[in-house]
Amino acid sequence: MAHYDLIVIGSGTAAQVAIGQVRATGWSVAVIDHRPFGGTCALRGCDPKKMLVSGEEAIDAAARMAGHGVGGDLAIDWPSLMAFKRSFTDPVPAKQERRYAKLGVDAFHGLARFASPDAVAVDGRTLQAQHILIATGAGPIPLGIPGEELVSTSDAFLELETLPRRIVLIGGGYVAAEFSHLAARAGAEVTILQRASRLLPHFDPDLVGWLTPRFTALGIRIETGTAVTRVERNGDGLQVRASRQGAPDLEVACDLVIHAAGRRPDLGSLDLSTGQVAVQDGRLQLDAHLRSISNPRVYAAGDAAGVGPPLTPVSSHDAKIVAANLLQGPSREPDYRGVPSVAFTVPPIAAVGLSEEAARRSGLKFRVNAASTPDWFTARRLAEPVYGHKVLIDERTDLVLGAHLVGPNADEVINLFGLAIRHGLTAADLRSTMFAYPTGASDIGYML
């Protein structure tokens, strides 16, 4: 039986960071994944999605600037755009294979499961380890409805060779918002069926309200307070049935249904009970050091850990914490202060720190600087009708408690607010900073 200092299950961001750090100290390492090496972000998530958004941004920019010095018709060529995306994603697995070989990491392809508290079985072999890191990411939550097998995943959407004419998205969070904008600008008829009372519930409701007209301008149909009850075949297409609060039941005919109703840690195939790894309600039971409370050999990081926000930088951060705890003993704890979050609609919407509601619940005394500002130069030069901010500042300390942005450059400028929150910069510090002008960052002083 092969023995390793560390076995890593999964090959995404958390796995890559942890492997690099422990291998640098001479630890023997094995990595296992039943999917192509690279993980969700590089192959099935943020990176390929952003590659596709590049085409959408070009179309939107041309539409906004029509009559302002730009003429001619543009359209998304979906197969070509998908080929552009694959120019990034296709080389990733082989690149990871080469990296592991160069590092001296043993790489295994197959579905991993615990064979004992200190061993993992894969592809007919059993590997023993001093430590095991679960970095398997997340997968779609079960919908629990008839016809669920007819619903495609976001992974499948990112591999579509042709774009269906009619698309229904179940859910109204990040995935639904981003994919609906992309598909609509590519010419699809899009319907969003959201159980909650509004879109993008993780973002400030005022800013979501300022962004929503961009959905309607694209012809995206939004049905909130709507629970999907069944998906069934209808000739060559599909029929989605849903119930609505205080309204008649709904039926929507379409060609593709996409699951956008949330994800949870992907743990189902690991046989955690055999590994004596405690789990409750589908989540690993971890201590403050990201270590299993029942099996101290086992750690988790990223979406599989389910402790911090489900974002790629958090996966990287978790992996650094786990590596330090493995190498130096369990003393480090993750710190999720100032982690920005962005939905890459066009234009994007972003947030970091406390929401206004959370700040009020906390009892803090703070001021709110909020405004919709499409007349500011940053928006006007792009003919962008959506631009606004909401910033929360502690009255006592002058620290930034939270920042919420929508419009051009929101996905970049939010990082400066994240920097301020994580490192204790005050509103006065930000106001006294000289940013290049005219840039999105040069608006920060007026947002405070």
Side-chain angles (χ1 to χ4, degrees):
M1 181 187 300
H3 184 277
Y4 299 91
D5 294 315
L6 176 66
I7 293 174
V8 180
I9 307 174
S11 65
T13 300
Q16 294 165 31
V17 172
I19 288 170
Q21 298 207 352
V22 302
R23 186 71 189 111
T25 68
W27 278 33
S28 58
V29 180
V31 61
I32 306 170
D33 204 333
H34 69 284
R35 305 182 77 169
F37 286 152
T40 296
C41 183
L43 296 177
R44 304 175 292 275
C46 29
D47 287 337
K49 169 191 69 184
K50 198 71 182 293
M51 295 286 286
L52 298 178
V53 167
S54 296
E56 177 189 2
E57 289 171 332
I59 295 296
D60 186 65
R64 283 186 280 104
M65 291 300 296
H68 303 296
V70 174
D73 294 328
L74 290 179
I76 288 178
D77 180 334
W78 187 265
S80 295
L81 183 60
M82 195 60 68
F84 177 61
K85 184 270 298 185
R86 287 197 300 270
S87 72
F88 174 85
T89 56
D90 284 0
V92 169
K95 182 179 178 181
Q96 288 299 320
E97 296 268 9
R98 292 193 297 270
R99 175 175 180 263
Y100 293 137
K102 184 177 180 180
L103 288 174
V105 173
D106 289 345
F108 297 88
H109 293 278
L111 203 58
R113 62 175 179 80
F114 279 89
S116 71
D118 66 346
V120 174
V122 58
D123 195 26
R125 303 181 60 175
T126 300
L127 314 177
Q128 196 169 30
Q130 187 67 27
H131 299 283
I132 298 168
L133 172 60
I134 299 174
T136 49
I141 62 171
L143 295 174
I145 59 172
E148 183 169 359
E149 71 280 2
L150 301 174
V151 178
S152 297
T153 64
S154 59
D155 298 3
F157 178 87
L158 292 171
E159 296 295 337
L160 289 173
E161 292 296 334
T162 58
L163 188 68
R165 184 172 65 86
R166 302 167 301 170
I167 298 174
V168 168
L169 291 145
I170 302 176
Y174 295 82
V175 171
E178 293 168 343
F179 285 8
S180 65
H181 273 219
L182 174 61
R185 285 188 173 92
E189 299 175 13
V190 182
T191 300
I192 297 175
L193 304 179
Q194 162 72 319
R195 181 186 292 269
S197 60
R198 67 178 179 90
L199 287 181
L200 293 166
H202 296 294
F203 291 90
D204 183 88
D206 292 332
L207 274 70
V208 173
W210 298 336
L211 178 62
T212 299
R214 292 296 244 129
F215 287 81
T216 53
L218 290 169
I220 298 168
R221 178 183 178 185
I222 300 171
E223 296 285 350
T224 56
T226 302
V228 174
T229 56
R230 176 184 294 273
V231 179
E232 54 196 17
R233 295 197 182 278
N234 179 17
D236 293 333
L238 299 170
Q239 190 87 1
V240 180
R241 301 183 186 276
S243 61
R244 294 185 290 182
Q245 299 172 3
D249 288 351
L250 184 68
E251 294 184 4
V252 183
C254 62
D255 304 299
L256 178 70
V257 183
I258 298 292
H259 185 309
R263 297 165 71 85
R264 69 180 186 183
D266 186 5
L267 309 171
S269 63
L270 293 177
D271 195 0
L272 296 172
S273 60
T274 298
Q276 296 179 8
V277 179
V279 62
Q280 183 176 357
D281 298 328
R283 292 186 173 271
L284 296 169
Q285 298 297 287
L286 306 173
D287 65 15
H289 311 294
L290 300 178
R291 182 175 61 171
S292 169
I293 63 172
S294 57
N295 183 349
R297 295 178 182 272
V298 175
Y299 284 79
D303 290 358
V307 178
L311 302 167
T312 297
V314 168
S315 295
S316 178
H317 175 72
D318 281 359
K320 293 172 185 175
I321 296 299
V322 168
N325 288 334
L326 288 170
L327 297 171
Q328 302 162 20
S331 59
R332 296 277 301 277
E333 299 180 8
D335 176 4
Y336 302 124
R337 290 175 301 155
V339 180
S341 179
V342 179
F344 290 100
T345 49
V346 179
I349 185 169
V352 66
L354 293 178
S355 67
E356 184 177 6
E357 180 184 0
R360 295 198 187 285
R361 286 199 310 266
S362 71
L364 293 168
K365 186 178 181 182
F366 62 95
R367 65 182 185 274
V368 179
N369 193 346
S372 174
T373 55
D375 57 331
W376 285 11
F377 181 77
T378 296
R380 286 193 62 189
R381 77 171 189 86
L382 299 171
E384 173 56 71
V386 177
Y387 192 46
H389 62 272
K390 179 180 288 188
V391 181
L392 317 178
I393 302 166
D394 190 293
E395 292 277 24
R396 181 177 61 86
T397 63
D398 198 41
L399 292 172
V400 177
L401 299 175
H404 308 270
L405 311 176
V406 65
N409 309 310
D411 52 334
E412 298 290 349
V413 174
I414 199 67
N415 292 311
L416 295 172
F417 284 105
L419 179 74
I421 290 173
R422 190 166 183 85
H423 296 286
L425 301 179
T426 64
D429 292 329
L430 290 175
R431 278 193 295 267
S432 68
T433 301
M434 289 184 283
F435 297 106
Y437 180 85
T439 63
S442 64
D443 287 344
I444 287 177
Y446 303 101
M447 297 177 181
L448 299 167

